[in-house]
Amino acid sequence: MPASQQLSRLFGRRRFNIKPGLERITALLERHGHPERSFAAIHVVGTNGKGSTAAFLAAIIEQAGYCTGLFTSPHLVSYTERFRVNGVDCPPEQLEALIPDLLEQAGPDDTFFELTTALACHWFARNKVQLAVLEAGMGGRSDATAAVAGIATIISPIALDHCQWLGNDLQSIAAEKVAIARPGSPVISAVQPPDVQAVIEEYCRTNNNRLLLAGRDFNATSNGADTGLTFTGSSGSLSGLHPSLSGSYQTGNAALALAAAEQLATLGFPISQQAMQAGLATARWPGRLERLRLADGSELLLDGAHNPAGAQALAAALQELGKRRIILLLGMMEDKDLQGVLQPLLQRVQQVITVSPAQERALPATELAARCRTAGTPATAADSVAAGLEAARAAAGPGDLIVAAGSLFLVGELKALLAGVPCEAVRG
């Protein structure tokens, strides 16, 4: 069967949507001989910054000399991006070869993300991965990645998102996220709202987890662009750190990864300061404040901001750029907090061009443009992502910046368009 048909069979499992619970994924891993038991895993949960933090930590572990796996979602352009070993995406032909056996072993109701998680475990086991960094899909205790026992858990900043599955308040969401942590294992948390921190602290007390809190047990501070960051943690201070990822908010994500690296030393995986420095400097995580120079000379900034916290971080990054005219190419999904995303972003932009990414749940571009105009910002709708990019380029003058945001699906579609390759867009 051609490769594209194999992927189509797997992507067809999206019809089962999201089904919290570990019964199906646990049974699937058991039928595959428990590949997840062949490596040690670090879980990364939270709302914003999960992917960047996971990318930083995986790069640090790799620089320390361990065979390193990284599992993330969603992908931007190619499904193979979700599975990295030592920084290299899984080769498409090898991934395709694994899918038939995976589907033969699958239960009738196994979801797309469950099968994808099992595929990651199988690929990591085959490549003799020693340490794997696993980004949760959206939750915690009920996320498919929770079927893999973790030796440590990182919690990035928690905010309201995926409320229909995780709960309508921060405490409920925090309780779901932190519960992925295995009792007795270390938990490394970003600065959280007081009610979220209280939930995390209570879980850790009850389950004998050592809790390390940003701002209390570790911290990273910026010394300016030339001198980089200084990190202070349980094993002392480390200066001259230069994260490869842009944005002042990456300071907090880098600190989480460094604090987790320190904990790995207590768990039998020592990591040198040189590996920490090199890992931060070499980490890659496309589509988050990613700057591109287009063929006509215009500048494009890609960012997957799709919830209020992400939009606020993007708005802060745009403010740091100084007074530039900004054209926003905006595409969003209909289940997102539209007002919460628009409010911070529209304060920083002068013109909006709206698009509908090629997704079933994409918000119509015309409706999105109308909402922007109601908020007082000039906006026009484009017929497609390609047409929207052309309109933005036509509107951009010398020194102007085009910013594409609102959905990782938009970012992925744009990256594929610019590269001239198909976009394997899929949620989950």
Side-chain angles (χ1 to χ4, degrees):
M1 180 180 291
S4 59
Q5 289 183 269
Q6 293 289 9
L7 273 180
S8 295
R9 291 178 63 202
L10 183 57
F11 287 177
R13 289 289 177 135
R14 286 178 295 156
R15 68 183 183 274
F16 297 127
N17 209 328
I18 295 170
K19 295 180 179 179
L22 301 182
E23 300 85 3
R24 293 174 303 277
I25 180 65
T26 300
L28 180 59
L29 290 171
E30 183 174 0
R31 289 194 294 273
H32 276 273
H34 286 295
E36 80 283 3
R37 294 178 181 174
S38 68
F39 53 85
I42 304 96
H43 289 292
V44 183
V45 300
T47 305
N48 289 294
K50 290 185 300 180
S52 300
T53 302
F56 276 136
L57 180 57
I60 289 170
I61 294 170
E62 181 188 346
Q63 289 292 331
Y66 300 103
C67 186
T68 308
L70 176 61
F71 175 58
T72 58
S73 62
H75 60 270
L76 295 178
V77 178
S78 172
Y79 181 67
T80 61
E81 297 167 25
R82 298 177 183 237
F83 319 92
R84 289 188 199 164
V85 173
N86 291 335
V88 179
D89 295 355
C90 179
E93 65 279 3
Q94 295 187 37
L95 191 63
E96 290 283 346
L98 297 176
I99 293 175
D101 181 57
L102 176 77
L103 291 174
E104 285 177 13
Q105 297 287 341
D109 297 326
D110 291 352
T111 68
F112 169 77
F113 189 70
E114 289 165 349
L115 290 168
T116 300
T117 302
L119 199 56
C121 293
H122 196 56
W123 180 243
F124 293 162
R126 175 171 289 197
N127 282 272
K128 296 180 169 52
V129 161
Q130 295 167 280
L131 281 167
V133 181
L134 308 179
E135 180 194 7
M138 66 169 188
R141 80 179 107 208
S142 299
D143 191 83
T145 57
V148 184
I151 61 172
T153 299
I154 298 174
I155 306 177
S156 75
I158 290 176
L160 293 174
D161 203 6
H162 301 296
C163 296
Q164 63 269 49
W165 290 287
L166 303 181
N168 292 311
D169 58 82
L170 287 177
Q171 295 97 319
S172 299
I173 294 173
E176 173 66 24
K177 303 269 189 187
V178 69
I180 199 172
R182 189 179 63 182
S185 63
V187 173
I188 304 99
S189 176
V191 173
Q192 306 285 359
D195 47 356
V196 168
Q197 181 173 320
V199 170
I200 294 172
E201 288 177 330
E202 177 59 28
Y203 179 89
C204 290
R205 275 194 300 270
T206 301
N207 293 279
N208 196 32
N209 296 92
R210 182 186 180 198
L211 175 62
L212 295 100
L213 286 172
R216 185 191 74 180
D217 303 302
F218 63 92
N219 195 33
T221 54
S222 175
N223 306 314
D226 295 334
T227 52
L229 305 179
T230 294
F231 171 77
T232 303
S234 58
S235 57
S237 295
L238 179 59
S239 299
L241 299 166
H242 296 275
S244 59
L245 307 181
S246 301
S248 59
Y249 61 85
Q250 293 292 2
T251 298
N253 297 332
L256 284 171
L258 292 166
E262 285 188 322
Q263 288 306 299
L264 289 176
T266 71
L267 300 169
F269 298 95
I271 293 177
S272 68
Q273 290 190 338
Q274 290 80 5
M276 294 181 184
Q277 288 179 313
L280 287 191
T282 58
R284 61 183 180 91
W285 192 234
R288 286 75 173 179
L289 285 186
E290 182 182 2
R291 299 175 80 152
L292 303 173
R293 180 71 66 178
L294 303 183
D296 62 359
S298 55
E299 190 177 6
L300 174 64
L301 179 71
L302 301 173
D303 193 83
H306 61 272
N307 57 32
Q312 289 163 13
L314 174 57
L318 295 178
Q319 186 175 22
E320 294 171 7
L321 296 177
K323 292 187 177 180
R324 297 183 65 178
R325 181 170 177 268
I326 297 174
I327 300 160
L328 177 62
L329 184 60
L330 182 67
M332 291 188 64
M333 299 298 107
E334 60 186 2
D335 58 346
K336 296 300 180 181
D337 182 353
L338 178 56
Q339 184 58 34
V341 171
L342 292 183
Q343 194 277 327
L345 287 183
L346 295 186
Q347 297 181 43
R348 301 290 172 209
V349 308
Q350 286 69 50
Q351 181 179 350
V352 181
I353 296 169
T354 61
V355 297
S356 293
Q359 288 286 314
E360 294 175 359
R361 57 194 181 100
L363 192 67
T366 52
E367 182 178 339
L368 189 52
R371 290 291 295 271
C372 293
R373 290 192 295 269
T374 299
T377 304
T380 56
D383 292 336
S384 66
V385 169
L389 179 59
E390 285 307 306
R393 292 167 78 167
D400 292 349
L401 176 67
I402 302 170
V403 176
S407 171
L408 284 171
F409 296 118
L410 170 61
V411 171
E413 202 168 331
L414 282 168
K415 287 180 71 69
L417 179 67
L418 293 170
V421 298
C423 182
E424 297 170 355
V426 63
R427 66 181 296 187

